[in-house]
Amino acid sequence: MKFRDGYWNIHKSVRHLPKVAIVDVQKGEGKLSMFAASKKIEHRGSTLNTAVITTEITAVLPDVLHIRSYHFKGLPKRGPFFELAEDQAKLLAIETNKDSFAACSKDLSAHVATTGPGDVQFTYKGKVLTSSVGLLGGHAIVHDKEPYQVEYLNLGVGETIYGLGERFTAFVKNGQVVDIWNEDGGTSSEQAYKNIPFYLSSKGYGVLVASAGKVSFEVCSEVVTAVQFSVPGQCLDYYLIGGDDLKAVLHNYALLTGKPALVPPWSFGLWLSTSFVTNYDEKTVNSFIDGMQDHEIPLHVFHFDCFWMREFQWVDFLWDQRQFPDPKAMLKRLHERGLKVCVWINPYVAQKSYLFDEGMEKGYLVKNPDGSVWQWDRWQAGMGLVDFTNPEAVRWYQGKLALLLDMGVDTFKTDFGERIPTEVEYFDHSNPMLMHNYYTYLYNQAVFTLLEEKRGKHEALVFARSATVGGQKFPVHWGGDCSATYESMSESIRGGLSLSMCGFGYWSHDIGGFEKLATPDLFKRWVAFGLLSSHSRLHGNESYRVPWDFDEEACRVLKAFVELKCTLMPYLFAQACRTHESGLPMMRAMVLEFPSDPVCAYLDRQYLLGESLLVAPIFQDDGKAVYYLPKGRWTHLLSNKEVEGGSYQEEVYDYFSLPLFARPNTLLPIGNNTQQPDYPYNDKVTFHLFALDDAKEAEAAVYAHDGTVQAVCKIKRDGTVYEVAVEGELKNWAVCLRNIDNVASVSSGSLSHSAAGALITFAAQEKECRIMTA
């Protein structure tokens, strides 16, 4: 939202109360308070009829400061509020100088002068990050009746901004106007399903605006040297987060807002859906599964979309008996075939559903201000909305889902949650303007916690479309309704990378596109991208996504990439465990791993899958790939070709490959199971060593399914000598020295040679080896 008319003037409809003159700075216990008048104080009379803007600085965590700016503080605080770490007075150290104060949390400091405009300068280890500009920010009143609290944080030359949720616009947010307001807008507009009022700066800091409602960001789009953000009302809370690099900032953000849960290994396998409005029954489902088996394509999860329930009755959580006459027996048969089962749900209750009458009678549905049930005909006829602010309504909703879990359902696709009305009343009297974005948090939390209770910790996951701050604690999330075009495929990557810059650990998308029908060419390219995402699902709208509907080669391509992903599971699950531990995403923008490489600042068509594999999907029907490799010796995982980085690369790939490179100095654990994602990763694992520089050490851990470390392998190079050491339990393991064939001797194990390089296999009891190369 813009308040200025150009740089010098304020819009005629706006009355601006800037922080013109500091009139007092107070040092309290765990808090530094600055009071700034909205005009210069030239004499005592100037203190009359003059507004004062108060800024309070406190500490939450090491290197995390909480800034609260307000005009009037007497208004009642009406939630909902994000679930964030609380302020800790003991963490704030206040330094007093002759003409300034500094409020410090570890290495992050906020500097406030004792006179002059109400500026706040933020530094990390003495380096200036940004400044709050007092003459620009403060309080604004629009049309003499609409109050807003406004902040401007300035940007340096070349500084770039990332994040703000799953946005399908340009990856770098400079120049964009972003309203944090969840909408069901697809992947081809400025709207977003997952709006997160958090951004990362290339200078090494992050900013979270702690408002669950509508936050408006002007990223270099009003004042071109600043990020401006505003919220309705009298008070603005935000957190400034420091760290040694962007990954450290994201880790601190996760400590503030919550870390992603660890999802079960089976969830990383291939998901196949009925699609949305297609015709399907149990016979159709079985034909899909039989077809996958006939084509020898590993399949791990089957998803039933909306029409598992009867039309006009979503949701009643009752199987449509016309299509699925004995669902319990059907689910048992699917489990016997080694499949997990997911079913579609949403938080809306159609008037024709028996749950509508139950919910209306017991007060479990959101109400109008007059006490009647809120309803509309959009999506489902006469539908109401479950009121998740009512604990009894939560238990009621969970109880219906529990019956499905007892029947054999394994997880839920928690669709929708964006179309939330604002002129309503909630059970706990939450502010409906704030609940519009926050509703999705309560919805997904209710489903996820039920799954944890029924299935156990680390066995729970949902497949969610909407999110707000903290939603990363309830994974997985997918990118919504994309189209079957290369352009939409690239939109999806931008959205996923933007979301990952907001601490969301896992992300998926509809392989082949949701809308329309992909060409065989596009489908096969999207398969490669989809299987090299954290989670992989085939799903469409009006057409099926079984590969034989495209061509026979599509079946072979899908088989190849599913099998590849299964073999990568020791590595991928280790990355998932680190995501859970650190808050860092599995799919990482290049700038996150290479912040000092200026080329990486704008790269949005390639990413790192975990910390060690670079993936560059192909977006052209001629198979041409254009991608960038940072400096170092990169090794193509499939072809074993070594490429010296530091420049753009251009190559043509067939459908069975794409740019997939191992990072220099990487030790990558690869399994030997091509059929399942959930096997013992410490059994028959091979540690592949890629381009280890002299005097360097590479390390890889192997995890059990519960997230505990089973073994750690380390390899250190000293000239022509490679020292291998293992701690923990491995069974029949091996080491492959990629592109090294000239091994003179090994102190243990059995040496052989493969196309990829020297291979040394070990028995379980062998823990150390000295490898001499010629």
Side-chain angles (χ1 to χ4, degrees):
M1 181 175 184
K2 292 179 172 64
F3 300 94
R4 310 189 72 80
D5 179 8
Y7 184 74
W8 307 112
N9 301 317
I10 303 297
H11 275 296
K12 293 179 181 179
S13 61
V14 175
R15 184 159 63 94
H16 184 210
L17 303 177
K19 294 173 280 186
V20 173
I22 296 174
V23 295
D24 193 16
V25 179
Q26 293 181 358
K27 177 181 175 181
E29 184 176 354
K31 181 167 68 176
L32 184 68
S33 301
M34 176 185 72
F35 304 86
S38 60
K39 66 181 182 184
K40 290 184 178 180
I41 306 301
E42 297 174 340
H43 48 75
R44 279 184 155 185
S46 302
T47 64
L48 305 177
N49 304 311
T50 299
V52 170
I53 306 300
T54 304
T55 301
E56 298 174 347
I57 303 169
T58 53
V60 187
L61 296 162
D63 295 329
V64 180
L65 291 173
H66 177 190
I67 298 91
R68 171 171 292 164
S69 172
Y70 56 84
H71 177 219
F72 296 152
K73 70 174 182 179
L75 296 178
K77 295 181 179 179
R78 189 179 173 197
F81 306 102
F82 295 140
E83 294 184 3
L84 306 174
E86 296 182 354
D87 290 359
Q88 299 185 61
K90 64 181 180 180
L91 290 178
L92 192 74
I94 300 177
E95 300 172 359
T96 305
N97 300 308
K98 180 180 178 181
D99 54 1
S100 65
F101 290 84
C104 308
S105 176
K106 196 180 175 185
D107 296 318
L108 180 65
S109 301
H111 304 269
V112 176
T114 54
T115 60
D119 297 343
V120 181
Q121 184 185 73
F122 298 97
T123 63
Y124 182 78
K125 293 184 176 180
K127 170 191 170 185
V128 176
L129 299 177
T130 185
S131 296
S132 166
V133 186
L135 294 178
L136 296 177
H139 190 71
I141 304 165
V142 180
H143 301 301
D144 291 324
K145 60 181 179 180
E146 301 171 16
Y148 292 86
Q149 200 70 9
V150 190
E151 180 64 288
Y152 290 76
L153 296 180
N154 66 8
L155 299 181
V157 175
E159 186 173 351
T160 45
I161 299 299
Y162 308 94
L164 296 174
E166 185 190 52
R167 314 214 77 81
F168 305 104
T169 53
F171 177 58
V172 174
K173 299 302 179 286
N174 297 47
Q176 297 184 37
V177 179
V178 175
D179 286 333
I180 302 298
W181 193 252
N182 284 357
E183 298 276 11
D184 177 5
T187 66
S188 299
S189 78
E190 83 287 358
Q191 295 179 354
Y193 303 102
K194 307 169 189 69
N195 286 268
I196 312 295
F198 170 77
Y199 67 83
L200 268 178
S201 164
S202 60
K203 284 188 73 174
Y205 66 92
V207 176
L208 169 67
V209 180
S211 173
K214 189 172 187 176
V215 184
S216 181
F217 286 87
E218 298 278 349
V219 187
C220 312
S221 51
E222 184 193 40
V223 173
V224 298
T225 55
V227 176
Q228 180 255 89
F229 47 89
S230 62
V231 297
Q234 301 285 340
C235 181
L236 169 64
D237 282 88
Y238 69 93
Y239 295 81
L240 199 130
I241 305 167
D244 286 339
D245 54 25
L246 292 182
K247 291 193 290 186
V249 174
L250 262 190
H251 174 66
N252 287 335
Y253 174 79
L255 296 176
L256 177 65
T257 63
K259 298 176 183 177
L262 179 62
V263 295
W266 58 260
S267 71
F268 292 88
L270 179 63
W271 298 49
L272 176 62
S273 166
T274 58
S275 290
F276 175 29
V277 297
T278 49
N279 292 317
Y280 51 86
D281 54 16
E282 184 175 355
K283 183 179 179 181
T284 313
V285 171
N286 288 332
S287 73
F288 287 175
I289 298 169
D290 291 341
M292 298 293 277
Q293 187 173 354
D294 292 343
H295 287 89
E296 299 181 339
I297 302 170
L299 179 65
H300 309 104
V301 185
F302 195 87
H303 168 69
F304 292 84
D305 217 51
C306 313
F307 282 95
W308 69 272
M309 292 176 282
R310 193 164 183 146
E311 65 275 8
F312 292 111
Q313 295 179 190
W314 306 341
V315 293
D316 59 8
F317 303 130
L318 299 175
W319 290 84
D320 184 348
Q321 295 292 315
R322 299 169 302 176
Q323 313 301 332
F324 306 102
D326 190 352
K328 188 171 184 179
M330 177 186 68
L331 295 176
K332 184 174 184 292
R333 288 190 290 271
L334 293 178
H335 285 149
E336 288 171 348
R337 300 186 72 168
L339 296 171
K340 299 289 185 178
V341 176
C342 174
V343 298
W344 176 95
I345 63 172
N346 69 194
Y348 312 135
V349 182
Q351 186 170 261
K352 190 172 180 285
S353 167
Y354 83 97
L355 295 182
F356 188 92
D357 292 329
E358 276 190 21
M360 181 171 62
E361 178 185 347
K362 296 179 180 181
Y364 294 163
L365 303 179
V366 173
K367 296 180 179 179
N368 291 308
D370 64 4
S372 61
V373 173
W374 174 87
Q375 291 179 264
W376 69 1
D377 285 327
R378 191 177 176 190
W379 184 240
Q380 290 290 284
M383 59 169 250
L385 180 67
V386 177
D387 187 348
F388 288 105
T389 72
N390 182 343
E392 287 295 324
V394 172
R395 286 189 283 272
W396 170 71
Y397 190 83
Q398 289 176 325
K400 306 301 181 182
L401 296 180
L403 296 175
L404 291 167
L405 296 176
D406 292 341
M407 184 184 292
V409 170
D410 296 290
T411 188
F412 301 103
K413 172 184 171 181
T414 48
D415 204 355
F416 287 84
E418 310 92 358
R419 300 174 182 177
I420 307 301
T422 56
E423 296 179 356
V424 292
E425 286 285 340
Y426 285 91
F427 173 82
D428 72 346
H429 306 294
S430 284
N431 183 335
M433 294 299 293
L434 304 184
M435 277 297 296
H436 173 84
N437 287 338
Y438 195 73
Y439 184 91
T440 176
Y441 182 89
L442 299 179
Y443 163 40
N444 281 288
Q445 180 185 51
V447 180
F448 192 87
T449 54
L450 170 69
L451 286 162
E452 279 196 325
E453 292 167 7
K454 298 285 285 185
R455 293 289 183 257
K457 194 174 183 182
H458 306 327
E459 279 296 317
L461 83 154
V462 295
F463 218 83
R465 188 173 76 174
S466 58
T468 187
V469 171
Q472 70 271 11
K473 294 183 290 185
F474 317 125
V476 171
H477 295 84
W478 103 96
D481 298 347
C482 52
S483 298
T485 65
Y486 275 123
E487 290 80 4
S488 197
M489 182 174 155
S490 66
E491 293 162 5
S492 296
I493 293 184
R494 289 199 300 271
L497 293 180
S498 288
L499 187 66
S500 75
M501 298 294 266
C502 299
F504 281 70
Y506 318 94
W507 180 78
S508 186
H509 45 93
D510 292 342
I511 295 174
F514 176 73
E515 299 285 356
K516 304 178 183 177
L517 182 64
T519 63
D521 163 72
L522 173 62
F523 179 78
K524 285 175 276 194
R525 294 303 184 190
W526 208 316
V527 160
F529 167 40
L531 270 299
L532 291 169
S533 302
S534 80
H535 286 76
S536 311
R537 185 181 70 162
L538 295 162
H539 179 63
N541 182 7
E542 299 175 338
S543 53
Y544 303 127
R545 289 295 177 268
V546 288
W548 50 89
D549 277 1
F550 297 90
D551 60 27
E552 283 301 310
E553 186 180 47
C555 298
R556 298 194 298 275
V557 170
L558 181 60
K559 170 181 162 64
F561 280 101
V562 175
E563 291 181 347
L564 172 65
K565 189 174 188 182
C566 288
T567 64
L568 289 175
M569 278 305 298
Y571 166 73
L572 293 176
F573 193 68
Q575 297 301 307
C577 291
R578 290 169 188 168
T579 288
H580 172 58
E581 294 162 0
S582 69
L584 296 179
M586 284 192 68
M587 294 179 67
R588 303 181 185 182
M590 296 293 292
V591 70
L592 192 62
E593 287 291 335
F594 302 96
S596 60
D597 188 332
V599 177
C600 292
Y602 287 84
L603 295 181
D604 62 3
R605 293 191 299 277
Q606 62 184 74
Y607 56 91
L608 269 78
L609 182 56
E611 60 192 1
S612 300
L613 286 180
L614 185 150
V615 182
I618 294 171
F619 298 94
Q620 299 178 200
D621 58 12
D622 60 3
K624 183 184 293 185
V626 180
Y627 59 96
Y628 175 78
L629 294 177
K631 291 181 179 179
R633 221 170 7 124
W634 295 77
T635 308
H636 195 279
L637 185 66
L638 304 181
S639 72
N640 216 35
K641 177 183 176 182
E642 285 191 351
V643 179
E644 192 63 37
S647 63
Y648 275 94
Q649 310 291 323
E650 188 173 310
E651 295 170 287
V652 174
Y653 285 84
D654 65 22
Y655 292 117
F656 294 88
S657 188
L658 76 167
L660 175 60
F661 285 88
R663 193 172 180 171
N665 301 301
T666 285
L667 187 60
L668 196 76
I670 297 179
N672 76 332
N673 190 323
T674 61
Q675 301 302 301
Q676 296 295 330
D678 49 347
Y679 53 91
Y681 303 135
N682 67 336
D683 189 7
K684 300 183 179 67
V685 62
T686 299
F687 295 92
H688 292 247
L689 183 67
F690 295 91
L692 184 64
D693 294 330
D694 194 13
K696 293 278 189 177
E697 183 178 77
E699 176 181 316
V702 175
Y703 287 76
H705 294 181
D706 64 359
T708 57
V709 176
Q710 290 180 304
V712 177
C713 180
K714 298 179 181 180
I715 301 181
K716 185 176 182 179
R717 180 183 174 187
D718 182 5
T720 59
V721 178
Y722 293 81
E723 298 281 358
V724 181
V726 167
E727 295 179 2
E729 182 182 356
L730 291 176
K731 302 175 183 177
N732 303 314
W733 57 287
V735 167
C736 181
L737 304 182
R738 287 293 191 107
N739 287 307
I740 296 177
D741 294 315
N742 56 336
V743 173
S745 65
V746 295
S747 64
S748 63
S750 176
L751 174 65
S752 62
H753 294 278
S754 69
L759 182 68
I760 305 97
T761 55
F762 301 93
Q765 67 273 16
E766 294 178 295
K767 303 288 187 181
E768 294 181 352
C769 180
R770 183 180 177 88
I771 304 171
M772 301 285 294
T773 59

